[in-house]
Amino acid sequence: MIQKSLNKDTLSLFSGPDAPLEDDMYKCVHCGFCLQVCPTYLETGLETESPRGRIALMKAVNENRITLNPGVYRHWDLCIQCRACEVACPSGVPYGNLIQATMSQVNKYRKPSLLSKILAHVFLNTILPSQRVLSILTLSLRMYQQSGIQWLARKSGLLKFVGLADLESSSPRVSRSSFKTQDRMIPAQGKPRAKVGLVSGCVMPLIHAEQMNSMVKILTHNGCDVEITTGQACCGAIHSHVGELERSRELARINIDIFEARNLDAVISASAGCGTLMKEYGHLLREDQSYADRAERFSQKVKDIHEFLVDLPFVPPTHQVDKRVTYQDSCHLANSQRITDAPRILLRAIPGLDLVELPSSNICCGAGGTYSITERDFSQRVLDSKMESIASTEAAIVATANPGCIIQLEYGTSRTGSNTKILYVTDLLYMGYGFKADM
Amino acid sequence: MVSLGKPSTRRLIEELKSVVGDEYVIHRDEDLLVFEYDGSVDKALPTAVVLPADTNEVVSVTKLAATYSIPITARGAGTGLSGGAIANHGGIVLALTRMTRIIQIDAENMTAIVEPGVVNIDLSTATAPYGLYYPPDPSSQKVCTLGGNVAENSGGPHCLAYGVTTNYVLGLEVVLANGSVQWFGETTREVGGYDLRGIMVGSEGTLGIVTKIAVRLVKIPEVVRTLLAVFNNVEDASLAVSDIIAAGIVPAALEMMDKLCIRAAEASVPAGYPQDAGAILLVEVDGLSEVTDEQVADIIHVCNKHSPIEIRTASDNIEREKLWAGRKGVIGALGRLAPNYYLVDGTVPRTRIMDTLKGVEKISKDYELPIGNLLHAGDGNLHPLILFDERKPGDTQKALEAGGKILELCIQAGGVLSGEHGIGMEKQEYMPLMFTDDDMTSMAKLKLAFETNDILNPGKIFPTGSSHVAIPQTGAISRTGPDAFI
Amino acid sequence: MEFEPPHPSTNPLTVVPDYMLNRPVTPEHTIHDLSPSAVARPKSIDELSDLMSITNDNNLAIAPRGGGTQISLGNPLRAYDLAIETTGLNKMVSHDYADLTATVEAGVTVSNFQDTLANHRQFLAIDPPLPNQATIGGALAVGHSGPMKWQYWNPRDTVIGMKVVQPNGTLVKSGGRVVKNVSGYDMARLHIGGLGTLGIIVEVSFKLTPKPPVEATLIGSFDTINESLEKAMLIYQSDVLPLAIVTIDNKAAEQMRSDALHQSRHTLIVKLAGRERGLARQINECRNLFQCDSMNEKDAASLWGSISNFGYDKVTLPTLGVRISAPPSKLALLSKVIYDLSTDTALTPALVAHPAHGTLIANWHLDGSPIQSSTLRAMIGQIRNHTRTLRGHTFVEHYPIPQRSDLDVWDNYGGSMETMRNLKAQYDPRGTLNPGRFIGHI
Ligand SMILES: Cc1cc2nc3c(=O)[nH]c(=O)nc-3n(C[C@H](O)[C@H](O)[C@H](O)COP(=O)(O)OP(=O)(O)OC[C@H]3O[C@@H](n4cnc5c(N)ncnc54)[C@H](O)[C@@H]3O)c2cc1C
């Protein structure tokens, strides 16, 4: 009763080196175990918006049963790429790789590209009213400034509408303090235990400068010499997310060059999204002869800050932080890097802190990199569900581990008028070390 | 296969949209593609997929189907393993995944009423604060729906001591093919008249659409003890199983996995199963601490007679969940070893497990296909998993044939075709192995008592006559079409 | 569809071969006030099959009977030509003790079956009244649960396979001999509780339960039935997993004439089982919940016998009796309803409840009291109304024969009557099997 006819002679509509791998697709035995962790399926109850459905569509394109048309890639676009399905999948389907590769194929067909669509949205549709959009816009601009993606702006020709200075001043959430990204070394307190580099990324120094400074302080307090390096590029995660894999590779090479020169024990990422991609540079550059090995070695050194502190092990915090706190797993941390314990271990170590589990903390908040802009409505539906479960915990603070999640959840609190605070795990640790009384 | 013609299809779609809203009618070709499968190997495209919000909408859709004389196939999460939710005659797939309300939890009387789209585990999560849970726990419990469970009479590892879905269903609100809504049973233990609720359970969506389910709940046991016994080979493990049962011990769960499954499971969720083992048993007992202590001692005693390599007890909840995670994920995990599996669900008397497994091994050799064995051993429910690659020409056919051979083996051992996954479109051709024409005619009368137009999930359970494996067909069965039994 | 099949009354003596009509007609074959013209006791399933194809061809109205212990259940027969005794089907087919299953012909008595199982320290978790007489087939056709609760609730939960001779004489089977099976429809369900109206059960496969090493019965008494029901609920909701919980009111105690029962008080009895340590723990937990004594084995066995037989043995057989199924927490309220209504009609009920099942049995002895049938009907009607508002229903188990046709002894169940009629029409289109006897007089 198997109806599928596989014709090896006809050309698959997926092509080129970045085509999704057939072997990966056919690992999916459509058991459906992914359904109940997929935020878009949970919102809609629709198989079309589920990982299993999305893979079925990939297979159908691969088998030439359907063409790559907007009706099809609409369902892939709607994927937040939180990769919770990868964790749930007993068959080990590398969904993240599949969807990224698939998006790269879509980009070949889609005009204009998704990235310019993002910018179009940002600039033309959703501009000024929202702080959150501004923050994200800042992100785009910062990327523009720092990460060498000017090509994009030139292509889309949109940036000229907005002056950079304007934006920075009109966005209240953007941190007033600053984080200096020039080359420097901040020495460990006491006897050094490790020499680490800090990924400064593109967004964080700008919008979360204060928090970054805290992270540096935490690291030095834990005996780390912290190296800050100029010239770091954006990690390339956003590009991968939308299938611009070649751009990601260019950025990856820049970063590898920069950090390699420093001879570090570890490269610390405070943003789960950046950490994830950097840990995957090895895979990203696997076909690049001069970089493949180096990328692999580099990826081995990349550590998420929570993971790093717990492994160190960290100096126990001693100051009371009498707060009811809940923890939202960052998808990139929990699903891609499979780190769920470390942030909780840090939080539990803080005296007085009452950690309550967030129901469905493994379900995405809807941020998904630029998803909150490209799929604004959907992102909000997912966010609203998340805010409901946050409210059910009666926590005063939600801790999380990624700038995108922070921005999204803050937007959630403003949408719902909630006075729950959204903080980095490290912010609370900072308080636990007594560097600051409150946030 | 029902085909409506373009204009009627368009009209039908419009009418369906006016019932459930535009968003919840799926009809574009590409979108229908993702409703052509469930967790099994078969596939077929529906004409439209509808997602109703409540019983009234189900009634309206059912009436429309009757007007257009097209089939309705109910669908839960689509994790079924016998093709039950596949619209093999086309028509409407009625997906109940939006009907997810838990309507009532009556903690005092230990019952609950839910909509069919509620996911199995969500019910136990919701009742946990009352110290109660819903025992039938298919391995797919994190995703499968209670509606699907009712339709398949699903079991699970813990059904050995606790029983399967039918032992927990107290009442069902059902929409019949003519659109009438009836309650079969309610929340009481006994009901008068024919046991319609019992008849509905396991009827694979062929008699009515279940729109509400009343179940009984059970107290969460005081202690749960889990034990892992590792053996050199499946023979030793099988003997340990029959000895445990013969000793009058009925554990809450008694599961077995062979080498291939152990390997796959470990690769997926490292549960600490020893890699070089020939077979493992996962045994769980629960209840009062005094009782479980003694049972664990007895089980260890029995296992020790069959030269175990190692016996381990989970010392805490985390370890326990780890042991189970490997077990619950193993079917999917086989996707790591091959792109497809064909899961056979035959059940044999518990005293015949060993012989049957030997036969399975031979079939694996004969067909040159790897077969992993996973068993709800305490129930005698085998799950041989035949690994194949649908992209290799002829492989699928070979796998299906090997499956047929295994089922024959089970029947010869005094067993049955399916322990918990149902017949659906996957095993319908094997029905004559187990049932006479009279038996099947009697079943067909049941269907006719519920509906005569064959609207609800047609082409399932009964043999079609166009079999993918040669099976002797006898003539006395009435058929209305080339591929319908009734 | 109104179901009123043609029924020309043929004398079975003329169409059924003599050798089949091998039993004399006796008063015990009378059902309500109808007697058959002949009685058959087939010696094999094949013979029964042959017999039924004849009765079907000739539109003979037949009523199967096992031990006859609950033969008066149901609505009045519309016709009754032939009684078919199943007691000739008395083979113990197999006891696969290592597999905890057994297969038995339907005419074997429950006691004989249990005795066989006991040889291997196993039992079947059903306990119908008068097990020495009651047959396996009869107990299932009635389908009521006795006091025993065990893991499940109903006799239906113990059945794994069944063979049935259909009204037209064809033998069909469903299920199998394994404990877990979803191959095809679960046809046995039609016949369990179907009171022999769709076919005659001829062979059944069961899953069995190992006999627990030790048992104990605890007994305590209370001033009011409410107190005893409240305590019963506490036990039901506790960690204890009793084999049975029963409350008996003072009037029922009086009727049972058991030395173990306080005749002026309301009794709560709990049966526990398990291994030594587990049992000791359960006894302790129960003692914390209600004041009680342990009974010795012999007295306990005899008391449990009386409880199972309540309403069916000679001493307790009532003129009027109802069996209510409702949510357990509502039984106290329903007992009050029954007391109040009885007071209004100057009657005294005897109550036995199985609180964990939500079953309440109320029996009345009218012996000679001048009660109008309209009064009885009104009382039943009221009880039904009350139970329905509490999401339960009332089955009339005993009713004075002359007034039988006044009411349907079955309650109204969720609008499913139409489906039940369709079932009867499919399986017994000629209406030969127990015509009129079942729900809705089908
Ligand atoms: C990895 C894996 C492990 C599994 N483990 C087990 C196991 O341990 N035990 C077990 O028993 N099963 C198991 N299954 C099989 C499957 O999960 C069960 O059969 C489950 O009950 C199906 O539920 P569903 O919601 O996915 O139903 P679907 O697959 O969507 O539908 C199944 C059948 O139910 C019908 N149906 C669905 N909803 C309704 C309704 N509301 N009214 C009427 N009919 C309806 C459909 O028409 C279809 O015939 C497993 C499956 C997988 C993939």
Side-chain angles (χ1 to χ4, degrees), chain A residues 31 33, chain B residues 38-39 73-81 84-85 96 116 138-140 144-145 147-149 151-152 154-157 204-205 208-210 331-332 341 376 420-421 457:
Chain A
C31 70
F33 274 32
Chain B
D38 62 0
T73 300
R75 178 185 167 99
T79 67
L81 290 170
L96 294 141
S139 305
S140 50
C144 65
T145 65
N149 292 174
E152 301 289 4
S154 297
E204 305 191 13
I209 310 286
V210 173
I331 296 184
Y341 57 71
H376 299 302
E420 56 179 18
H421 299 155
N457 211 359

Side-chain angles (χ1 to χ4, degrees), chain B residues 23-331:
Chain B
E23 197 184 340
Y24 296 112
V25 179
I26 290 167
H27 57 90
R28 297 178 54 255
D29 288 350
E30 295 92 342
D31 293 351
L32 291 174
L33 241 160
V34 310
F35 288 90
E36 70 173 357
Y37 54 76
D38 62 0
S40 70
V41 285
D42 291 313
K43 285 176 186 150
L45 283 172
T47 312
V49 179
V50 185
L51 292 97
D54 56 27
T55 305
N56 289 338
E57 291 187 2
V58 173
V59 170
S60 307
V61 174
T62 312
K63 288 187 172 154
L64 276 174
T67 312
Y68 285 81
S69 293
I70 56 163
I72 294 195
T73 300
R75 178 185 167 99
T79 67
L81 290 170
S82 54
I86 297 173
N88 60 338
H89 286 219
I92 298 173
V93 161
L94 190 73
L96 294 141
T97 43
R98 283 176 68 216
M99 293 177 60
T100 54
R101 280 184 318 142
I102 294 178
I103 298 164
Q104 186 202 65
I105 296 172
D106 180 350
E108 202 178 16
N109 294 303
M110 305 194 211
T111 58
I113 303 178
V114 301
E115 288 186 335
V118 170
V119 169
N120 176 299
I121 194 128
D122 289 352
L123 176 57
S124 289
T125 309
T127 58
Y130 308 97
L132 300 172
Y133 78 114
Y134 175 71
D137 59 340
S139 305
S140 50
Q141 71 179 145
K142 283 189 179 164
V143 286
C144 65
T145 65
L146 289 165
N149 292 174
V150 167
E152 301 289 4
N153 190 13
S154 297
H158 288 87
C159 291
L160 175 53
Y162 284 93
V164 293
T165 304
T166 193
N167 304 122
Y168 289 85
V169 172
L170 295 171
L172 297 168
E173 183 192 74
V174 177
V175 177
L176 297 184
N178 62 8
S180 73
V181 183
Q182 303 184 358
W183 264 98
F184 298 164
E186 231 195 273
T187 53
T188 52
R189 311 308 187 252
E190 288 184 356
V191 273
Y194 298 122
D195 180 12
L196 298 174
R197 65 181 176 191
I199 272 294
M200 273 305 293
V201 178
S203 64
E204 305 191 13
T206 60
L207 303 181
I209 310 286
V210 173
T211 47
K212 288 193 186 76
I213 306 167
V215 295
R216 70 184 177 92
L217 304 167
V218 167
K219 276 192 67 88
I220 295 172
E222 182 180 272
V223 245
V224 180
R225 307 264 318 259
T226 308
L227 188 140
L228 180 78
V230 186
F231 296 88
N232 284 310
N233 49 51
V234 287
E235 285 78 13
D236 288 348
S238 315
L239 288 173
V241 170
S242 17
D243 280 5
I244 290 172
I245 300 295
I249 310 166
V250 182
L254 177 46
E255 303 281 303
M256 185 167 131
M257 285 181 171
D258 74 356
K259 208 180 183 85
L260 202 61
C261 291
I262 298 170
R263 246 176 50 211
E266 272 302 302
S268 163
V269 216
Y273 300 156
Q275 292 287 302
D276 52 345
I280 59 167
L281 291 182
L282 195 59
V283 196
E284 191 157 286
V285 294
D286 62 19
L288 299 177
S289 57
E290 292 81 354
V291 180
T292 51
D293 285 353
E294 288 183 13
Q295 282 183 327
V296 167
D298 284 0
I299 291 166
I300 292 178
H301 180 75
V302 173
C303 288
N304 273 333
K305 289 190 205 156
H306 300 283
S307 5
I309 304 176
E310 184 190 346
I311 297 179
R312 241 192 259 168
T313 47
S315 49
D316 57 27
N317 236 351
I318 297 177
E319 221 170 284
R320 175 179 170 246
E321 270 163 29
K322 220 168 96 181
L323 290 182
W324 274 111
R327 164 60 190 87
K328 295 212 165 183
V330 69
I331 296 184

Side-chain angles (χ1 to χ4, degrees), chain C residues 168-236:
Chain C
N168 65 3
T170 49
L171 174 71
V172 293
K173 77 151 202 293
S174 63
R177 291 188 186 186
V178 295
V179 296
K180 203 164 153 206
N181 180 6
V182 294
S183 318
Y185 296 131
D186 195 356
M187 302 295 287
R189 299 293 169 134
L190 287 177
H191 304 282
I192 304 172
L195 211 66
T197 56
L198 297 180
I200 298 182
I201 302 171
V202 293
E203 190 186 293
V204 189
S205 298
F206 289 105
K207 62 173 155 186
L208 308 174
T209 310
K211 239 190 182 26
V214 273
E215 281 186 7
T217 294
L218 301 177
I219 186 164
S221 67
F222 301 87
D223 292 338
T224 64
I225 184 127
N226 264 8
E227 277 174 86
S228 104
L229 285 169
E230 259 167 40
K231 296 293 184 195
M233 279 303 279
L234 288 181
I235 297 168
Y236 168 58

